Amino acid sequence: MAEYLSKAMALAQDAAKLSMRFSEGLVDNALEFGLDTPGSFYDNAEYKLTLVRKELGSGSDKDKLVAMKRLLAAVAKGYDASEYFADVVKNVASGNLEVRRLVYIYLLRYAEQEQDLALLSVNTFQRDLGDSNQVIRAMALRVMSSIRVPVISPIVVLAVRKLALDRSPHVRKTAALAVTKLVKLDAGLREELVEIVETMLRENSPLAMGSVIRAFCAVCPTRYDMVHGQFRRWCVMLADLDEWGQVELVKLLVAYARTQFSKPASDSLDADHALLLRSIQPLMQSRNSAVVMSAVSAFCHLAPQTLLPVVARPLVRLLKAGREFAYAVLTNIQQIARHSPAMFSPY
């Protein structure tokens, strides 16, 4: 009986091994013929990492691509893949565009953690700042600005200055975000960054505008003299920005208006003051709760008493957004109702 059980267990183990080999063979064949799916790289991702070093050192772009997909799949599942940094960074200058993109995605995750090794590739990153592909240019700058070593800050500043004038709004957005990292890393760069930000304020693309405003607020938030020439153009652009950009720009415009305009009166409003209120009011119909709250806050600070009732309906609408958010909205309603209780009597 014992002998029979032993043979049965041995047979089961052989069957399991055969099944695993068969599955691996199917995967390899799928990779060979380009039939792989993104999900296939998540199956046994950690186990397959044993092959990554060999594949990354291979002369085949196909093997490198498979290795990077396996590596990023493991990272997505929470595996710490920092030990492969040296192997990955060697491929940053790969001639295959897809491999380079995946390499940069990996480097964005670990550049701050492996700063010494990342520094060895700074020359490659600098070359990629002039790449014909906008994604590569943007990723190169993102990685450079993520290496939080003050010694390369001047190099990153030069890169930001160059890409702040790039033809791609995606790259200009990345340059603006790099400014916020630089000023946190080295406050001594502030004066130099002010010049770059002043150039960025001429931005015409809604895609990059939110990041430019964030850079301005990080570097020189009280330099309202730089806002004077842009104020009317920004009021017109406000409706075209993404939600995050709208919140950032409304905050800046409210701070600007509170220092530049006199206290509003119901019978007379400065033309620019009225333009700002007209530009902000449509934001109260936004699907984004943060945008609505920023618009309501702007009216509470800037609008004359006769215009305040327009905030009531948007605030009441937000009460449907969820229990936690409803509490925040009700707190704001309470503050407004102390001064204007009649505004909410219909509700």
Side-chain angles (χ1 to χ4, degrees), residues 129 137-138 141 158-166 171-172 175:
L129 295 175
R137 296 198 302 275
L141 181 57
L158 289 174
V160 170
R161 189 185 294 277
K162 174 185 176 182
L163 296 188
L165 302 173
D166 194 272
V171 176
R172 298 197 300 270

Side-chain angles (χ1 to χ4, degrees), residues 41-55:
F41 292 99
Y42 289 88
D43 298 331
N44 300 319
E46 296 86 345
Y47 167 74
K48 293 173 183 175
L49 287 181
T50 55
L51 307 171
V52 163
R53 280 201 171 91
K54 180 181 177 182
E55 290 171 332

Side-chain angles (χ1 to χ4, degrees), residues 7-25 44 47:
K7 287 182 179 179
M9 288 179 64
L11 238 138
Q13 289 174 354
D14 289 342
K17 289 177 182 176
L18 185 62
S19 174
M20 182 177 292
R21 290 182 63 185
F22 180 70
S23 298
E24 289 175 356
N44 300 319
Y47 167 74

Side-chain angles (χ1 to χ4, degrees), residues 81-149:
S82 58
E83 62 184 284
Y84 299 95
F85 193 93
D87 301 285
V88 172
V89 81
K90 293 174 185 175
N91 293 286
V92 74
S94 170
N96 184 292
L97 179 60
E98 192 171 356
V99 171
R100 285 169 70 193
R101 289 179 65 177
L102 295 180
V103 167
Y104 270 117
I105 291 172
Y106 174 91
L107 294 179
L108 286 173
R109 172 65 179 79
Y110 291 109
E112 192 169 342
Q113 187 175 330
E114 300 288 343
Q115 295 178 358
D116 292 339
L117 287 173
L119 280 172
L120 299 176
S121 299
V122 166
N123 289 336
T124 303
F125 301 150
Q126 285 182 283
R127 283 199 303 273
D128 282 348
L129 295 175
D131 194 271
S132 59
N133 188 295
Q134 61 173 348
V135 176
I136 296 297
R137 296 198 302 275
M139 284 188 167
L141 181 57
R142 284 183 67 187
V143 172
M144 286 180 68
S145 60
S146 296
I147 305 173
R148 302 184 63 78
V149 180

Side-chain angles (χ1 to χ4, degrees), residues 73-84:
V75 172
K77 291 177 69 176
Y79 184 84
D80 181 10
S82 58
E83 62 184 284
Y84 299 95

Side-chain angles (χ1 to χ4, degrees), residues 170-237:
H170 174 63
V171 176
R172 298 197 300 270
K173 176 181 179 178
T174 305
L177 293 173
V179 168
T180 61
K181 295 180 184 178
L182 281 169
V183 76
K184 289 178 183 177
L185 178 63
D186 187 354
L189 298 171
R190 190 178 298 273
E191 290 302 318
E192 195 170 356
L193 292 175
V194 168
E195 298 175 15
I196 298 174
V197 169
E198 189 168 12
T199 302
M200 289 179 169
L201 291 181
R202 304 188 190 105
E203 179 61 58
N204 289 315
S205 170
L207 175 66
M209 196 65 221
S211 301
V212 169
I213 297 302
R214 173 58 69 95
F216 173 84
C217 293
V219 175
C220 48
T222 58
R223 285 289 305 274
Y224 296 128
D225 56 298
M226 294 165 61
V227 179
H228 294 327
Q230 314 296 336
F231 176 81
R232 293 175 184 171
R233 185 172 64 86
W234 286 353
C235 287
V236 175
M237 283 183 68

